[in-house]
Amino acid sequence: MLRRGILVDVTKCVGCGECVAGCQKANGQPSHTPKGFDEQSYTFLMDRGGDVHVRRLCMHCQQPTCASVCPVGALKKTPGGPVTYDADKCMGCRYCLMACPFGVPSYEWRSARPRVQKCQMCSGRGSKGPACAEACPAEATVTGDRDALIAEARRRLKAEPKKYHPHIYGLTEAGGTAVLYIGPRDAA
């Protein structure tokens, strides 16, 4: 079974925002430039100075604390990789907001029927995978089997050790995540 993951190669990101636009379109969100996570923003770009842009999104933890604290099972880790949310089960306790080590889930505070909002790795798109990866013209965000992405990240690090910081973020952080990052040596 495919355990979907996402590899973000910060060295390839040009800061164009197509990943953000693709996410907004796939999730029926209004077009805007997000500054952080909120009920209308599942991903955003952080400008780290120079030509370094880092995309933030749900890390889809291997053992998600958001799901472990949910008393009704509204959040769950799927065998295929994504951490998904079922609004019909949610009772609005917002424990997931406090539990996430990455500050990802948001809450629709102004809604009459509020829900938790977060990236679900476009789990409804099936084999097409996440819209953010499909939209990225620089292939800074790619998707596929997590193990294959780890192998690809290791290959890149080995092939260009002067370019990359020698670490794959997400292998062990927070118990491992489905979203992995590799980045430039000088920005680490």
Side-chain angles (χ1 to χ4, degrees):
M1 167 186 246
L2 171 78
R3 285 185 344 173
R4 185 165 301 281
I6 294 174
L7 174 61
V8 178
D9 185 337
V10 175
T11 70
K12 291 179 176 256
C13 183
V14 296
C16 68
E18 289 298 315
C19 56
V20 175
C23 175
Q24 290 171 352
K25 184 176 180 183
N27 289 289
Q29 299 167 335
S31 179
H32 66 288
T33 303
K35 302 294 183 213
F37 296 116
D38 62 37
E39 65 272 7
Q40 295 293 322
S41 305
Y42 299 163
T43 188
F44 65 96
L45 286 172
M46 294 181 353
D47 184 351
R48 304 303 272 176
D51 291 331
V52 179
H53 309 279
V54 179
R55 188 162 84 84
R56 295 278 319 274
L57 69 155
C58 176
M59 297 297 288
H60 296 279
C61 301
Q62 299 296 84
Q63 299 167 358
T65 56
C66 62
S68 70
V69 300
C70 182
V72 294
L75 287 156
K76 70 175 184 173
K77 175 73 173 183
T78 64
V83 175
T84 59
Y85 169 73
D86 183 343
D88 291 334
K89 290 182 179 179
C90 183
M91 64 183 215
C93 69
R94 301 176 303 279
Y95 289 160
C96 57
L97 275 67
M98 294 176 278
C100 176
F102 301 104
V104 172
S106 295
Y107 195 67
E108 295 176 320
W109 292 101
R110 292 181 281 271
S111 173
R113 290 188 43 123
R115 299 168 297 171
V116 169
Q117 294 291 333
K118 65 171 281 307
C119 165
Q120 297 192 58
M121 207 186 291
C122 291
S123 57
R125 286 175 40 105
S127 63
K128 291 172 80 173
C132 59
E134 182 179 61
C136 181
E139 295 183 354
T141 298
V142 293
T143 188
D145 180 73
R146 182 178 187 268
D147 292 335
L149 294 173
I150 291 170
E152 174 60 18
R154 287 183 173 142
R155 185 197 65 73
R156 292 181 191 186
L157 296 181
K158 185 176 180 182
E160 297 185 75
K162 291 183 179 178
K163 177 180 180 179
Y164 290 102
H165 178 71
H167 181 71
I168 303 168
Y169 188 88
L171 278 181
T172 59
E173 288 77 12
T177 62
V179 177
L180 309 162
Y181 286 86
I182 54 176
R185 178 173 283 281
D186 59 355

